[in-house]
């Protein structure tokens, strides 16, 4: 019987499998429109879509960035703002977008293929056939409101970044690297002065020029039904064919058919000031033009060379400038992949008076390196390690190939040959044969002797004051020019535009798209096994448990195994700190952790210097780290993590033992580490959002909290005094670090998580005898530290504190309000609260429309912290955080009173969002394994907790939601029940204070220094 399957208009350009990972690549091209699609098949619950367009512009108007926002305002067939996101939410999906210098990408992040397939054609129509109305451009891009202030979502976003340190330095560097007429020179986000005069017609013109099918690549990663995909794309093209330029219409491929980048003729060093009250430290940014990104060998050589130069504490630049000379807190590198790639070096936290000298020293070191034989053993190890890391990253991250595929679409060859380079890692074999002469020649040509641009970023209190004064004067002149009548007309114009944008979406349109089933969401299953004290959690019966039982059954160490198909082993050692850990030692734990791997050791009676230690560690591992336990589900514990290949399992355990007990607290190394940590403090204190969270932690957590004790506002004072103590009484500091070692490195503190293929792993249990050999294993296992037991009085009973913290480095405001919430994952109120928050926080949902949609803030969101029994509401980058807070409160009150009814389609979307959140927590095999450990060991839940919670969530009624809104959510906005922290620009602090005061709070304006804590160290 003949097939009824329609013949597709998409041809398969190529299909190939990577030889280093189970990933299959398929590249398609439409024979009608030239649209391209690349599918990367991989297992897992998530399907990721990236709809990328090469976007090139020769001005600072911000047109590329405006489209990133305007696309979501409606399309030819769906002429309603927010309809795409409302449909996506119901289909287990979320949307987002970004604008880079060379492209714009729209993302569709979905749990399962069925939901993805439902939204794909709707999304693509929004991209290629958006409405782009005058009203949409007016509200989303730029307008002047009724008070005479400039506003608009895009404008407000750029207002928050245009005068930051990184933006000012980066833009000036690009102006010097590229001449007029080369698109990489321009600020595609838009400069404020250009956004103020940008017209809707200019935006439409840019869309017509760039947003064509032949300039679009649909990248999809996940479990994809290829036949269904091509059927959808064919149908989509049928519907748009009459509305797009004809296949034979002239088209200039962005970047490739453009004016090429000329080589730099000379090196340039310039000073760029940035606004900052603390003038103690700045930054050095150095840029070079590098090799063609399509040359896989040269691009890989560059990546390896940057690791050799600045990849760790033993690399040339880091070892000299950071570890020994303490001239910077870090040397970091990055590249912009282009036909003439850009090579960036950043020297962080450099003393302002030494910026010029450090820049010169940087180049002196590069030339010295190029002038003498390289450490070829280390270079070869860099090659081997990078190959290991790529294989591991491909296995553990679902996002690995997205940027690589997009970059190939932008700059690669149309015949697909450059994309096919992803099939193999053979370039590393080739680089393994390079001689010292070849490597030094490469270094000389592209970096050490190459023309470059150096930007010395200098902090300036005067500039900070000037920018604020200039802006105030501009607004004042604007108000005067417009006059009372003009401002009134603008207020009316804005109201009319909002009314046009906010036309109600017909319910039948939303309900026409049925909520997909969950059958296509394939959650990853892992197999749990337990050994030692972990067995007390309950018996397990499976093949992996049998493997574990056959090896080292008598070893009491708590080991939790998660079996997945893998070529690697991930070891996590969770360290409980405990109630008995002295408070005065807690701030010093940060130094202990920073020094942990970068320190000398004793081996067989011989001292091994830290450079050799780090080199050996890098040779034996994929990665290693130690820090707080937030990513393992408990911010109050510590986590040591080592990732290795299967045959290095015992080696990794040996390294853990060595670094715990055989490391040496060396005065010189400790001084270098403290210097690095202190140098980072001024930069950390420049972020309004970061300091908002820091102040929040300082007031809600007690000094006994280990995460509080390591925060910036503790480091700022405590570390300065430790630095002085290291000069006057170094043995006193070393004695305290020894105390920390003795308190932490105990058997009763240890819980081990091993993620690997247990069918291949040798001696999974008995290998740990290396670690436990001389330990006292008679003590009972210590309980995991509890965040709820580390709360301050203000954290236990919020309602009496409200702080406004002015920051000169901030142009807007950030706020967090905190009240009490559920403190158990089994709380009967939790399912309804989850639905309520998902409903309120939805893209184009109630709070989005009320706050972001009206320009009151760039974003808002709730967070429920079950571990601390708190619920928080955050306002991000707002011109007035109080107004955003007050508008949000009104939304909650109207739902409680019944003034605003709950919408059934949006409630279905809230359930879908919760399902997506479960998929987001475990998108890959390794993340699913870690999530299983978090649920079972950290939270004490059943492995199938998500299944039971989802059943409860589906049973939530509207009355349940209304009840938790009144009892749990509304207190977040209620004086006497919540605490408030706002960080903001100094010029708006008084207005925000007044707003909160009039609403019933008792706010204080306090500087950041008010919240610093030295933990009694004078």
């Amino acid at each position: 019987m003949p097939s009824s399957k329609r013949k597709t208009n998409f041809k398969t350009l190529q299909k190939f499998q990577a030889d280093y990972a189970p990933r299959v690549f398929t590249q398609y091209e439409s024979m009608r429109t030239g649209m391209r699609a690349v599918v990367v098949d991989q297992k897992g619950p998530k399907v990721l879509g990236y709809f990328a367009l090469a976007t090139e512009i020769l001005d600072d108007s911000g047109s590329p960035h405006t489209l990133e926002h305007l696309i979501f305002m409606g399309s030819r067939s769906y002429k309603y703002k927010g309809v795409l996101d409302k449909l996506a939410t119901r289909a287990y999906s979320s949307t987002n977008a970004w604008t880079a210098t060379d492209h714009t990408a729209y993302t569709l992040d979905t749990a399962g293929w069925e939901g993805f397939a439902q939204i794909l054609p709707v999304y693509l129509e929004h991209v290629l056939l958006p409405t782009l109305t005058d009203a949409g451009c007016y509200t989303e891009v730029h307008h002047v409101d009724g008070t005479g202030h400039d506003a608009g979502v895009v404008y407000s976003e750029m207002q928050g970044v245009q005068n930051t340190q990184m933006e000012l330095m980066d833009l000036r560097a690009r102006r010097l690297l590229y001449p007029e007429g080369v698109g990489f020179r321009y600020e595609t986000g838009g400069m404020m002065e250009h956004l103020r005069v940008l017209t809707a017609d200019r935006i439409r013109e840019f869309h017509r020029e760039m947003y064509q099918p032949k300039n679009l690549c649909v990248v999809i990663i996940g479990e994809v039904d290829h036949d269904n995909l091509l059927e959808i794309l064919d149908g989509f093209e049928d519907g748009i064919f009459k509305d797009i330029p004809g296949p034979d219409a002239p088209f200039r491929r962005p970047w490739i058919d453009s004016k090429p980048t000329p080589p730099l003729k000379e090196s340039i060093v310039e000073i760029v000031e940035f606004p900052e009250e603390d003038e103690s430290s700045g930054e050095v940014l150095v840029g070079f033009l590098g090799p063609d990104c399509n040359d896989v060998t040269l691009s890989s050589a560059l990546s390896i060379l940057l690791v050799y130069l600045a990849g760790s504490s033993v690399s040339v630049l880091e070892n000299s400038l950071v570890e020994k000379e303490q001239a910077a807190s870090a040397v970091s590198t990055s590249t912009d992949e282009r036909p003439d790639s850009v090579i960036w070096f950043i020297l962080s936290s450099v003393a302002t008076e030494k910026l010029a000298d450090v820049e010169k020293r940087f180049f002196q070191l590069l030339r010295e390196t190029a002038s003498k034989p390289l450490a070829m053993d280390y270079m070869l190890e860099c090659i081997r390690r990078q190959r290991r890391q790529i294989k591991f990253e491909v296995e553990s991250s679902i996002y690995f190939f997205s940027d690589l595929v997009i970059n190939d679409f932008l700059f690669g060859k149309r015949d697909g040959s450059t994309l096919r380079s992803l099939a193999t890692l053979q370039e590393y074999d080739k680089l393994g044969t390079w001689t010292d002469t070849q490597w030094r020649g490469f270094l000389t040509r592209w970096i050490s002797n190459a023309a470059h641009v150096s930007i010395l970023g200098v902090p300036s209190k005067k500039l900070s004051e000037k920018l604020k004064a200039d802006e105030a004067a501009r607004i004042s002149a604007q108000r005067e020019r417009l006059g009372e009548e003009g401002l009134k007309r603008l207020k009316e114009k804005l109201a009319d535009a909002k009314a046009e944008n906010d036309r109600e979406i017909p319910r039948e349109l939303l309900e026409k798209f049925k909520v997909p089933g969950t059958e296509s969401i394939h959650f990853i299953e892992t197999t749990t096994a337990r050994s030692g004290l972990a067995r007390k959690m309950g018996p397990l019966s499976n093949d992996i448990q049998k493997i574990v039982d056959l090896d080292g059954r008598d070893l009491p160490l708590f080991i939790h195994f998660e079996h997945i198909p893998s070529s690697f082993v991930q070891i996590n050692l969770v360290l409980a700190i405990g109630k008995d850990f002295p408070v005065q030692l807690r701030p010093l734990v940060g130094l202990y952790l920073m020094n942990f791997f970068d320190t000398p050791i004793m081996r067989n009676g011989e001292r091994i210097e830290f450079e050799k230690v780090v080199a050996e560690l890098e040779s034996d591992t994929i990665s290693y780290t130690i820090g707080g336990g937030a990513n393992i589900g408990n911010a109050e514990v510590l986590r040591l993590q080592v990732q290795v290949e299967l045959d290095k399992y015992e080696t990794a355990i040996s390294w853990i033992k060595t670094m715990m007990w055989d490391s040496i607290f060396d005065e010189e190394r400790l001084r270098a580490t403290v210097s690095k940590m202190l140098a980072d403090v001024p930069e950390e204190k420049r972020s309004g959002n970061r300091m908002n969270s820091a102040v929040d932690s300082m007031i809600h957590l007690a000094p006994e909290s280990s995460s509080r004790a390591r925060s910036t506002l503790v480091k700022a004072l405590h570390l300065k005094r430790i630095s002085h103590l290291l000069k006057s009484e170094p043995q006193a500091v070393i004695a305290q670090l020894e105390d920390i070692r003795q308190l932490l490195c105990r058997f009763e503190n240890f819980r081990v998580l091993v993620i690997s293929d247990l069918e291949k792993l040798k001696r999974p249990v008995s290998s740990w005898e290396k670690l436990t050999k001389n330990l006292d294993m008679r003590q009972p296992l210590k309980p995991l530290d509890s965040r709820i037991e580390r709360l301050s009085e203000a954290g236990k009973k919020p309602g009496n504190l409200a702080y406004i913290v002015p920051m000169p480095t901030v142009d807007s405001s950030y706020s967090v309000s905190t009240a009490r919430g559920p403190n158990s994952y089994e709380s009967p109120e939790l399912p309804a609260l989850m639905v309520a928050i998902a409903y309120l926080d939805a893209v184009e949902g109630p709070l989005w429309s009320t706050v972001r949609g009206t320009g009151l803030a760039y974003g808002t969101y709730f967070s429920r912290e079950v571990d601390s029994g708190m619920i928080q509401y955050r306002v991000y980058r707002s011109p007035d955080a109080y107004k955003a807070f007050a508008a949000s409160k009104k939304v909650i009150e109207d739902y409680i009173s019944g003034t605003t009814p709950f919408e059934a389609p949006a409630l279905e979307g809230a359930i879908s969002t919760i399902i997506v959140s479960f998929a987001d927590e475990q998108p890959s095999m390794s993340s699913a394994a870690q999530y299983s450990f978090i649920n079972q060991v950290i939270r004490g839940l059943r492995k199938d907790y998500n299944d039971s919670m989802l059943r409860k969530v589906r049973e939530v009624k509207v009355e349940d939601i209304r009840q938790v809104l009144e009892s749990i959510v509304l207190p977040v906005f209620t004086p006497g029940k919540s605490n408030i922290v706002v960080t903001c620009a100094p010029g708006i602090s008084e207005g925000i204070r007044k707003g909160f005061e009039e609403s019933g709070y008792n706010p204080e304006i306090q500087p950041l220094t008010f919240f610093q804590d030295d933990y009694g160290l004078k």
Side-chain angles (χ1 to χ4, degrees):
M1 185 175 178
S3 172
S4 60
K5 182 178 171 184
R6 166 182 169 170
K7 184 179 179 181
T8 180
N9 287 295
F10 281 79
K11 62 180 179 181
T12 302
L13 294 178
Q14 60 180 330
K15 182 176 183 177
F16 60 88
Q17 181 165 347
D19 65 9
Y20 52 93
R23 302 290 183 272
V24 177
F25 297 76
T26 310
Q27 186 176 29
Y28 299 105
E29 182 180 40
S30 170
M31 294 179 285
R32 282 196 291 183
T33 68
M35 185 197 306
R36 294 201 160 208
V38 177
V39 178
V40 184
D41 288 295
Q42 65 179 39
K43 299 290 186 182
K46 300 300 296 288
V47 180
L48 309 176
Y50 302 86
F51 314 138
L53 301 110
T55 44
E56 180 181 13
I57 197 166
L58 303 182
D59 61 40
D60 297 316
S61 67
S63 295
H65 184 197
T66 65
L67 286 171
E68 174 204 318
H69 292 258
L70 293 169
I71 288 304
F72 296 95
M73 299 292 284
S75 69
R76 182 194 61 185
S77 305
Y78 308 91
K79 300 180 186 294
Y80 300 94
K81 173 191 174 188
V83 66
L84 173 61
D85 284 303
K86 286 181 179 291
L87 292 173
T89 300
R90 288 161 53 82
Y92 314 120
S93 301
S94 63
T95 69
N96 210 331
W98 73 76
T99 303
T101 302
D102 49 26
H103 72 280
T104 305
Y106 298 88
T107 66
L108 179 59
D109 189 323
T110 308
W113 171 253
E114 190 177 342
F116 189 95
Q118 185 184 88
I119 300 303
L120 177 60
V122 181
Y123 203 152
L124 292 179
E125 183 182 293
H126 276 73
V127 172
L128 293 179
L129 299 175
T131 53
L132 299 183
T133 64
D134 287 344
C137 293
Y138 192 69
T139 59
E140 293 297 298
V141 179
H142 172 264
H143 58 267
V144 178
D145 64 20
T147 67
H149 287 88
D150 296 87
V153 177
V154 174
Y155 185 86
S156 297
E157 181 181 348
M158 297 312 296
Q159 186 178 39
V161 301
Q162 182 164 316
N163 290 312
T164 60
Q165 169 189 336
M166 197 63 245
E167 175 68 14
L168 290 168
M169 294 175 66
D170 174 73
L171 184 61
R172 186 56 191 155
R174 285 191 280 129
R175 296 288 204 239
L176 295 173
L177 282 169
Y178 300 106
E180 294 278 354
V182 176
F184 299 119
R185 169 187 177 89
Y186 301 97
E187 176 47 77
T188 52
M191 304 292 285
M192 286 188 288
E193 56 271 26
H194 292 276
L195 288 168
R196 289 196 286 264
V197 296
L198 179 61
T199 65
D201 284 340
R202 175 68 183 99
I203 296 170
R204 295 184 191 111
E205 178 189 351
F206 183 76
H207 184 273
R208 279 193 300 272
E209 183 184 359
M210 292 288 160
Y211 280 59
Q212 301 184 32
K214 63 185 67 176
N215 191 35
L216 170 65
C217 184
V218 176
V219 182
I220 307 177
I221 302 173
E223 294 188 30
V224 177
D225 183 332
H226 285 249
D227 289 340
N228 188 210
L229 169 64
L230 297 181
E231 182 182 353
I232 291 168
L233 293 179
D234 279 323
F236 171 69
E237 287 195 337
D238 290 345
I240 68 166
F241 203 67
K242 295 178 181 178
D243 298 298
I244 60 174
D248 299 325
F251 177 73
R252 181 185 61 81
R253 186 181 174 191
W255 309 114
I256 302 305
D257 299 332
S258 305
K259 178 180 177 181
T261 300
L264 277 176
K265 295 179 180 178
E266 60 181 356
S267 295
I268 304 169
V269 180
E270 276 201 10
I271 290 174
V272 169
E273 292 186 336
F274 61 89
E276 168 64 288
E277 266 197 355
D278 184 342
E279 297 182 325
S280 63
S281 69
E283 197 164 86
V284 178
L285 174 67
V286 184
F288 307 83
L289 293 177
D292 185 347
C293 64
N294 288 317
D295 189 318
V296 179
T297 301
L298 293 187
S299 294
S300 299
L302 176 59
S303 177
I304 290 162
L305 181 62
L306 294 180
V307 171
Y308 180 90
L309 292 173
S312 75
S313 57
V314 300
S315 57
V316 177
L317 298 173
E318 275 272 340
N319 189 251
S320 296
L321 292 173
V322 179
E323 302 297 340
K324 292 179 177 176
E325 300 171 19
Q326 297 165 32
S329 67
V331 179
S332 54
T333 65
S334 64
T335 57
D336 293 336
E337 306 292 333
R338 294 168 187 166
D340 297 279
S341 292
V342 186
I343 306 165
W344 297 108
F345 287 85
I346 298 176
L347 282 62
S348 302
S349 303
V350 177
T352 304
E353 68 275 10
K354 296 181 179 178
L355 284 165
D357 292 337
V358 172
E359 191 268 351
K360 291 174 183 174
R361 175 64 176 145
F362 170 80
F363 279 99
Q364 181 186 10
L365 284 167
L366 286 174
R367 289 173 187 132
E368 286 177 3
T369 302
S371 69
K372 56 190 179 184
L374 302 178
M376 287 303 294
D377 287 345
Y378 183 58
M379 182 68 80
L380 290 170
E381 183 48 50
C382 289
I383 295 171
R384 288 189 289 266
R385 193 164 196 248
Q386 181 141 317
R387 186 200 287 262
R388 292 197 300 272
Q389 289 175 332
I390 289 173
K391 289 181 178 179
F392 177 79
E393 193 68 19
V394 171
E395 181 182 292
S396 59
S397 171
I398 62 173
Y399 305 100
F400 181 83
F401 288 109
S402 57
D403 286 343
L404 296 171
V405 175
I406 290 172
N407 206 66
D408 178 78
F409 171 69
L410 297 177
F411 306 118
K413 294 179 180 178
R414 285 300 197 214
D415 63 6
S417 58
T418 47
L419 180 67
R420 199 173 185 87
S421 68
L422 296 178
T424 178
L425 299 177
Q426 63 185 12
E427 62 271 19
Y428 293 99
D429 296 329
K430 186 175 181 180
L431 291 172
T433 67
W434 274 24
T435 64
D436 173 78
T437 302
Q438 284 175 290
W439 279 111
R440 285 198 285 151
F442 185 83
L443 169 60
T444 300
R445 177 183 175 186
W446 296 111
I447 299 179
S448 65
N449 284 17
H452 58 272
V453 167
S454 292
I455 304 296
L456 310 183
V458 176
S460 171
K461 183 178 180 180
K462 187 181 295 184
L463 177 60
S464 177
E465 294 166 351
K466 181 181 184 301
L467 287 172
K468 289 174 174 59
D470 288 351
E471 180 66 1
R474 189 186 68 78
I475 295 295
S476 178
Q478 183 164 272
R479 286 173 173 158
E480 189 174 335
R481 183 180 72 254
L482 291 167
E484 191 172 329
E485 281 302 311
L487 291 173
K488 183 180 178 182
R489 285 194 298 272
L490 288 174
K491 183 177 181 180
E492 292 170 353
K493 183 179 179 181
L494 180 59
D496 291 343
K498 287 179 179 177
E500 181 181 338
N501 292 337
D502 295 335
R503 288 178 301 128
E504 186 176 354
I505 302 170
R507 181 167 174 170
E508 56 269 22
L509 174 60
L510 297 175
E511 293 180 341
K512 186 171 72 174
F513 290 78
K514 301 302 180 183
V515 175
T518 57
E519 294 80 12
S520 70
I521 306 174
H522 300 149
F523 286 97
I524 295 169
E525 296 290 335
T526 66
T527 304
T528 300
R530 295 168 181 152
S531 177
L533 292 175
R535 293 175 182 277
K536 293 187 176 181
M537 295 180 63
L540 295 171
S541 179
N542 58 62
D543 290 343
I544 303 305
Q545 185 65 55
K546 291 175 183 176
I547 292 172
V548 169
D549 289 345
L550 289 172
D551 179 47
R553 192 177 180 89
D554 297 331
L555 189 71
L557 181 66
F558 184 112
I559 312 178
H560 178 107
F561 294 97
E562 288 291 337
H563 168 71
I564 60 173
S566 178
S567 300
F568 305 97
V569 189
Q570 300 179 58
I571 298 173
N572 293 267
L573 176 57
V574 176
L575 297 165
I577 298 177
K579 296 179 182 178
D580 55 346
F581 197 97
V583 174
Q584 70 272 15
L585 289 181
R586 289 180 184 263
L588 209 57
V589 171
L591 174 58
Y592 175 82
L593 299 178
M594 280 287 288
N595 185 72
F596 190 85
F597 288 110
D598 285 347
T599 195
I601 62 170
M602 291 299 295
R603 180 187 291 160
N604 300 324
E606 178 187 356
R607 176 182 167 118
I608 310 296
E609 295 303 329
F610 94 94
E611 288 93 346
K612 183 171 173 54
V613 172
V614 172
E616 290 183 11
L617 269 166
E618 291 182 351
S619 177
D620 286 334
T621 67
I622 294 158
S623 68
Y624 54 87
T625 184
I626 187 170
N631 290 336
I632 204 82
N634 185 332
E636 292 299 324
V637 300
L638 303 178
R639 175 174 73 157
L640 191 162
Q641 186 177 45
V642 183
Q643 296 160 342
V644 294
E645 293 170 299
L646 285 167
D647 62 353
K648 292 285 188 177
Y649 180 53
E650 290 196 34
T651 303
I653 296 169
S654 294
W655 273 117
I656 293 172
K657 177 181 184 296
T658 295
M659 301 317 298
M660 278 190 158
W661 288 288
D662 299 334
S663 60
I664 299 169
F665 296 119
D666 178 79
E667 292 177 29
E668 183 181 340
R669 293 300 306 135
L670 292 171
R671 279 195 287 269
T673 303
V674 169
S675 176
K676 282 191 292 184
M677 294 172 73
L678 276 174
D680 285 334
V681 169
E683 189 171 337
E684 291 171 4
K685 290 171 74 173
R686 288 168 189 154
S687 167
N689 191 41
R690 186 167 186 165
M691 287 302 99
N692 188 256
S693 296
V695 172
D696 176 70
S697 294
M698 295 302 290
I699 66 173
H700 287 127
L701 298 177
E704 289 80 6
S705 164
S706 62
S707 59
R708 179 190 189 274
R710 300 194 304 275
S711 73
T712 300
L713 295 175
V714 172
K715 287 192 296 184
L717 279 184
H718 189 270
L719 272 182
K720 281 184 181 177
R721 291 162 189 179
I722 289 294
S723 178
H724 292 310
L725 200 57
L726 276 170
K727 295 173 183 174
S728 59
E729 297 179 65
Q731 288 306 314
V733 178
I734 289 172
Q736 287 184 309
L737 290 170
E738 287 289 358
D739 289 343
I740 290 173
R741 189 207 308 260
Q742 296 304 319
L743 289 165
L744 286 180
C745 300
R746 294 178 176 178
F747 169 82
E748 59 267 29
N749 295 339
F750 296 166
R751 287 169 177 83
V752 176
L753 164 63
V754 177
I755 301 171
S756 189
D757 190 328
L758 272 294
E759 294 175 338
K760 299 177 185 175
L761 189 63
K762 296 178 181 178
R763 303 182 65 226
V765 178
S766 58
S767 295
W768 287 93
E769 291 172 355
K770 291 175 179 289
L771 185 81
T772 61
K773 188 175 182 181
N774 296 316
L775 292 182
D776 179 358
M777 293 185 279
R778 295 169 298 177
Q779 299 300 317
L781 192 66
K782 189 178 294 184
L784 290 170
D785 298 75
S786 166
R787 170 59 65 91
I788 206 162
E789 295 177 358
R790 301 289 185 270
L791 297 178
S792 65
E793 286 305 309
K796 294 173 184 175
K797 296 179 180 178
N800 298 313
L801 300 178
Y803 291 110
I804 317 297
V805 185
M807 294 179 59
T809 54
V810 175
D811 287 327
S812 53
S813 62
Y814 305 82
S815 76
V816 57
S817 44
T818 304
R820 296 303 301 159
N823 60 9
S824 167
Y825 288 94
E826 303 288 1
S827 167
E829 298 168 310
L830 191 56
L833 181 61
M834 291 169 68
V835 177
I837 289 177
Y839 186 93
L840 293 169
D841 275 349
V843 177
E844 295 295 346
L847 293 173
W848 175 289
S849 300
T850 300
V851 180
R852 179 174 169 132
T854 59
L856 289 176
Y858 187 73
T860 65
Y861 62 94
F862 283 98
S863 60
R864 47 177 183 82
E865 305 292 340
V866 175
D867 299 328
S868 59
M870 289 180 175
I871 180 171
Q872 296 188 315
Y873 183 64
R874 293 181 182 273
V875 175
Y876 178 81
R877 201 187 291 166
S878 168
D880 186 324
Y882 171 71
K883 290 180 180 178
F885 173 91
S888 303
K889 181 180 182 180
K890 179 70 164 52
V891 170
I892 308 302
E893 290 174 332
D894 286 350
Y895 277 108
I896 292 171
S897 68
T899 303
T900 303
F902 289 94
E903 300 175 3
L907 286 170
E908 290 176 331
I911 304 296
S912 297
T913 298
I914 293 168
I915 294 173
V916 171
S917 73
F918 291 160
D920 286 341
E921 289 172 322
Q922 42 191 324
S924 66
M925 289 183 181
S926 60
S927 60
Q930 180 170 292
Y931 187 71
S932 175
F933 173 81
I934 290 172
N935 266 354
Q936 295 181 76
V937 177
I938 303 296
R939 295 173 178 169
L941 304 172
R942 301 178 309 279
K943 190 168 184 176
D944 64 350
Y945 171 81
N946 283 1
D947 296 334
S948 61
M949 177 54 72
L950 187 54
R951 287 193 292 271
K952 294 175 184 177
V953 161
R954 291 188 187 278
E955 294 169 358
V956 169
K957 305 291 190 296
V958 166
E959 192 49 48
D960 300 328
I961 300 172
R962 193 174 279 120
Q963 185 175 337
V964 296
L965 286 180
E966 185 169 12
S967 62
I968 298 176
V969 177
L970 187 59
V972 179
F973 302 89
T974 305
K977 295 184 178 180
S978 62
N979 293 333
I980 306 289
V981 174
V982 179
T983 50
C984 62
I988 60 175
S989 59
E990 182 56 35
I992 292 175
R993 186 201 66 78
K994 187 176 180 182
F996 278 106
E997 185 174 65
E998 290 175 352
S999 69
Y1001 290 90
N1002 186 27
E1004 301 175 35
I1005 295 179
Q1006 296 288 359
L1008 270 178
T1009 52
F1010 177 80
F1011 304 96
Q1012 295 180 165
D1013 188 351
D1014 60 12
Y1015 275 68
L1017 183 61
K1018 305 300 181 185

